[in-house]
């Protein structure tokens, strides 16, 4: 289960995706790099979003950077 808070009357979920952008993500696994696999997971999450859901994307390695603000 993924933790989230949904208040009464809230129109949807707020998702915050933290994406590891360090050099280790270039390591090759069975189905491509670790970054390729992470991208697939994020795209799958986007596909499950419904009306009223919002998502934010933050990449990090030695520092965090907001790539996409919380948006519909």
């Amino acid at each position: 289960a993924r933790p989230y808070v949904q208040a009464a009357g809230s129109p949807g979920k707020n998702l915050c995706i933290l994406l590891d952008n360090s050099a280790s993500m270039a390591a090759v696994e069975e189905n491509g790099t670790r970054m390729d696999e992470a991208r697939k997971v994020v795209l799958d999450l986007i596909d499950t979003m419904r009306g009223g859901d919002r998502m934010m994307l933050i990449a990090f390695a030695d520092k965090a950077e907001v790539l996409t603000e919380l948006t519909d």
Side-chain angles (χ1 to χ4, degrees):
R2 295 184 189 96
Y4 73 93
V5 176
Q6 184 170 355
S10 176
K13 294 186 282 187
N14 292 329
L15 303 170
C16 181
I17 306 300
L18 302 173
L19 184 61
D20 182 350
N21 198 25
S22 66
S24 67
M25 294 299 283
V28 177
E29 301 290 338
E30 291 179 23
N31 297 319
T33 66
R34 292 177 181 169
M35 183 60 78
D36 293 335
E37 287 298 311
R39 283 187 188 124
K40 289 176 191 173
V41 170
V42 171
L43 290 173
D44 287 346
L45 279 172
I46 290 170
D47 287 342
T48 66
M49 290 178 71
R50 292 185 272 174
D53 289 350
R54 302 184 313 160
M55 181 180 284
M56 173 182 229
L57 180 61
I58 299 173
F60 69 92
D62 58 333
K63 294 182 181 179
E65 177 185 2
V66 176
L67 299 179
T68 305
E69 295 285 339
L70 196 57
T71 186
D72 301 25

